[in-house]
């Protein structure tokens, strides 16, 4: 949302990151049900940060420093992890951009919802790494 109140309904920015699946702000909005009134630049920044975080978690999949070649299914899981992480990061900002009466009680729910989004993202990362989501190390 701009200061003038103009909302670009069809905004789409591709977030490319050196061989990793391309994230798209329009796809993020559609998959995560984000209304178009939320600021495109905030979403871009959150997606960039989320992609760096998820890529860092997947660094052992790098081949000679290059991103792995994901098939369609794995690319979908990568995107879900990145989109979930970005959504969790944006929840507090959404509450400040959306000042309807219904948004007043979001502060309590934001932490729980963000935790659920991050938990799912961690499951997705574990899936891509071929690990169980139940981490147990042998002593």
């Amino acid at each position: 949302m701009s200061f003038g109140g103009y909302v670009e309904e069809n905004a789409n920015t591709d977030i490319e990151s050196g061989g990793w699946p391309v994230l798209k702000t329009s796809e993020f909005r559609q998959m995560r049900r984000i209304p178009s009134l939320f600021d495109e630049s905030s979403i871009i920044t959150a997606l960039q940060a989320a992609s760096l975080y998820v890529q860092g978690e997947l660094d052992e999949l790098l081949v000679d420093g290059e991103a792995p070649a994901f098939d369609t299914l794995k690319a979908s899981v990568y995107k879900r992890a990145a989109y979930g992480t970005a959504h969790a990061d944006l929840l507090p900002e959404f509450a400040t951009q959306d000042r309807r009466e219904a948004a007043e009680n979001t502060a309590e729910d934001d932490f729980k919802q963000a935790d659920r989004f991050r938990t799912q993202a961690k499951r997705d990362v574990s899936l891509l790494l071929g690990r169980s989501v139940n981490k147990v190390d042998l002593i």
Side-chain angles (χ1 to χ4, degrees), residues 44 59 124 137:
I44 291 168
D59 68 343
D124 293 336
D137 292 324

Side-chain angles (χ1 to χ4, degrees), residues 3-30:
F3 288 112
Y6 174 74
V7 176
E8 189 174 340
E9 298 268 341
N10 298 317
N12 181 47
T13 303
D14 290 353
I15 313 295
E16 297 190 30
S17 188
W20 294 91
V22 175
L23 304 177
K24 299 174 178 287
T25 58
S26 62
E27 184 179 53
F28 172 72
R29 288 176 188 276
Q30 180 184 14

Side-chain angles (χ1 to χ4, degrees), residues 1-106:
M1 177 177 358
S2 70
F3 288 112
Y6 174 74
V7 176
E8 189 174 340
E9 298 268 341
N10 298 317
N12 181 47
T13 303
D14 290 353
I15 313 295
E16 297 190 30
S17 188
W20 294 91
V22 175
L23 304 177
K24 299 174 178 287
T25 58
S26 62
E27 184 179 53
F28 172 72
R29 288 176 188 276
Q30 180 184 14
M31 287 180 68
R32 306 303 295 194
R33 297 181 184 174
I34 308 297
S36 61
L37 68 99
F38 295 111
D39 184 54
E40 179 78 358
S41 63
S42 295
I43 290 174
I44 291 168
T45 302
L47 287 173
Q48 289 169 332
S51 67
L52 287 174
Y53 173 77
V54 172
Q55 290 166 21
E57 294 293 300
L58 298 172
D59 68 343
E60 67 187 64
L61 297 180
L62 296 176
V63 179
D64 296 326
E66 299 292 322
F70 286 147
D71 61 23
T72 304
L73 292 174
K74 288 183 178 179
S76 295
V77 173
Y78 168 83
K79 287 181 177 185
R80 187 170 73 169
Y83 290 159
T85 301
H87 197 169
D89 291 346
L90 284 167
L91 281 175
E93 186 170 335
F94 290 161
T96 62
Q97 288 186 26
D98 185 5
R99 288 293 185 191
R100 294 176 297 144
E101 184 177 319
E104 290 179 12
N105 64 352
T106 58

